[in-house]
Amino acid sequence: MCGIVGAVQTHGNVVPAVLAGLKTLEYRGYDSAGLAVMTPHGIQVRRKSGKLSALEAELAQNGVPPSSQALAHTRWATHGAPTDRNAHPHCDDRGEVVVVHNGIIENYAELHGMLAAQGHAFSSETDTEVLAHLIAHFHRNGDDLHSATRKAMALAHGAYAVVVISAREPGTMVAARLESPVVIGVGEHGRYVASGIPALLNLTRDFLVLENGESARLTPTGHEIYDARGQRVERAPFRCEWTPEQAEKGGYAHFMLKEIEEQPDVLARTAFDRLRDPEGDVAFEDEFGLDDAALRGFRRLRFMAMGTSFHAALLGQMLLAELARLPGETLNASEFLYSARLPEEDSLTVIVSQSGETADSLRAMREVQARGGRTLGICNVRGSTLAREARHLVLTHCGPEVGVASTKAFFGQVAALYMLAVRVGRARGTLSREQGQARLLDLRKLRPMLDPLFESDAKQAVEAAADLLVPVRSCLYLGRGLQLPVALEGALKLKEISYIHAEGYPAGEMKHGPIALIDPSFPVVAIATPGRSYDKMISNIQEVKARQGRVIAVAARGDRKVAALADAVLPVPEVAELLAPLANVIPLQQLAYTVALRLGRDIDQPRNLAKSVTVE
Ligand code: M6R
């Protein structure tokens, strides 16, 4: 959580670009923001509680001078309330050393006590301010900024990405990383630093990623990277294929809406280049690194993830069981540490994460690896921690996802897991070439079949369904089999952006408790598309109706049986059963969006949330 952007250039005013970059990171935290600029007379800092727009308003009134060196931050509070005073950047008591920080300093109370005893006076309640004082302490005693930062970070416990500038050393920017991500941009006229690539796309397309424990000294014309022992590390930049436009709204009211509508293209980007239709197989890139023999060697699968990615992981488990006949389990990554230690030799653990920076998922991955297990990451961000540390990797190629409510990333993950199931099924011989070809054809046919979901009659159906949800406090989403993860995901989407309580449930469980809640003010969203669960879902809908409950059904276009029972229908195309989750989730995303819009919620930045949850 928290977003960092910093820049140091040979010339020119870099402040507007830094603020524009910060805007693309606002999804990481948005309770306060701040900016520091280097001037010939020292460092000027502006900080404001609230969103970046509040800081922009402050800057419009009380601006900063143009500068070729600037550092900015958007915050998701851990220590200290979201006030002006607690906003980053933080300075030492002489205003010489300025720090922004993403993460938590666990021993900050101890460090605070030590520095206070030496006469340091603090002006905020944050753990970060302690770092500014600690770095200043070493810097004043003769260490250059990089050395002072390294000494300070050696004393700090916890997780961090920090970027530091000093009025004593203008033209230098120091970054250090432990757990929280840091990328370095390499430009013709400067060096840049941020917590995510999208923030720097308007400045450069060439990037380096700092590894855990590393630090960097950046100047307008160069960068030096050091490992945890202080040894120089040589690393070549990589070129990022994302464009600045992909990280912008492109005329849509919200990123979430843009990202929902991008999903047919995500299918093409994630899948189509990888399909080997004549062989009925899938070819992942080199980083996948698992050949047929390795895939035949696994006896069990384990899937781990959090939030929306957890729902994709549940589908992955089902798809792998179905197509590759491999048993598996799916765990919340945060629960893994408390689970029994099982032998890892013949298991593959699949970690699913859009950002590749979710602390719970990374912790679980490292624990599996420490126990000798093999890990495969399914991830959307090249260069992220998961992408670098997982032993094997499939990238989802969804492009940057900015809306806090994940939509296209789920779609890309499920598409990738479907392809993984085909790949493993082909390697293990549970799918013949013809069967593989048929599965790939289903995937190719899906894309045009999704188009009607974005046409006006589908949007009208979503509006009519939203009429039933806007007035209520609570509701239930039901699904069975492959549609259960879709129900869970639909409920998560609604609750996180509309703040209406929504519970996803296996439909068979309804009679075992939740049915007691059913009345006209407690609607049920039921996924009743063709397939193995259809008849039982019809029975569930009838049971709800018999108790004066109101039903919104996701059903195949033209399904008269469902239409006769339900109060509102979200029509979907009739696609191959294993791919139905990809079609069915779209109207549920649209429904959540529409309800939240009608309720006037902050759709792209819902309260209390952050896009990338980098603390456990
Ligand atoms: O980046 P990840 O996929 O690891 O993120 C996991 C969750 O934090 C994320 O899916 C979260 O639940 C979203 N807000 C859901 O919309």
Side-chain angles (χ1 to χ4, degrees), residues 305-310 352-358 361 401 403-407 409 413 489 492-493 496 609-613:
M306 300 301 288
T308 287
S309 299
F310 175 75
V352 186
S353 172
Q354 185 283 130
S355 61
E357 302 295 351
T358 297
S361 304
E401 188 181 66
V404 165
S406 183
T407 53
Q413 289 163 348
E489 176 58 10
L492 174 61
K493 285 289 87 78
E496 70 181 331
L609 284 167
K611 179 78 182 155
S612 188
V613 184

Side-chain angles (χ1 to χ4, degrees), residues 380-540:
N380 191 38
V381 182
R382 187 186 290 283
S384 65
T385 308
L386 177 67
R388 284 176 298 111
E389 291 189 19
R391 177 129 174 233
H392 307 283
L393 179 68
V394 172
L395 286 169
T396 50
H397 301 309
C398 302
E401 188 181 66
V402 179
V404 165
S406 183
T407 53
K408 66 174 178 175
F410 173 83
F411 196 95
Q413 289 163 348
V414 176
L417 287 160
Y418 178 89
M419 290 190 292
L420 179 68
V422 171
R423 176 76 273 274
V424 181
R426 290 290 289 122
R428 291 169 60 80
T430 56
L431 285 181
S432 66
R433 185 158 66 96
E434 293 70 28
Q435 287 167 325
Q437 285 171 337
R439 297 301 178 187
L440 301 190
L441 188 60
D442 288 343
L443 199 57
R444 285 209 186 271
K445 286 199 303 207
L446 180 65
R447 189 181 177 196
M449 293 177 87
L450 297 176
D451 287 345
L453 291 169
F454 302 98
E455 284 164 9
S456 64
D457 59 336
K459 288 184 179 162
Q460 277 165 20
V462 170
E463 293 286 347
D467 290 343
L468 298 176
L469 292 185
V470 166
V472 307
R473 305 272 319 265
S474 192
C475 62
L476 191 64
Y477 280 61
L478 297 179
R480 288 172 181 260
L482 285 164
Q483 304 314 325
L484 172 59
V486 180
L488 300 177
E489 176 58 10
L492 174 61
K493 285 289 87 78
L494 186 74
K495 78 180 112 182
E496 70 181 331
I497 60 166
S498 76
Y499 318 147
I500 293 172
H501 172 242
E503 207 65 62
Y505 244 84
E509 274 283 337
M510 183 180 71
K511 289 197 277 296
H512 301 272
I515 199 165
L517 295 166
I518 297 214
D519 70 15
S521 69
F522 184 75
V524 172
V525 179
I527 306 173
T529 47
R532 281 164 274 186
S533 63
Y534 179 78
D535 291 339
K536 290 257 185 317
M537 285 305 302
I538 296 288
S539 306
N540 287 126

Side-chain angles (χ1 to χ4, degrees), residues 54-78:
L55 176 69
E56 285 166 341
E58 159 73 15
L59 291 171
Q61 286 218 320
N62 185 14
V64 288
S67 175
S68 56
Q69 186 174 7
L71 187 55
H73 187 270
T74 179
R75 179 171 185 243
W76 186 88
T78 56

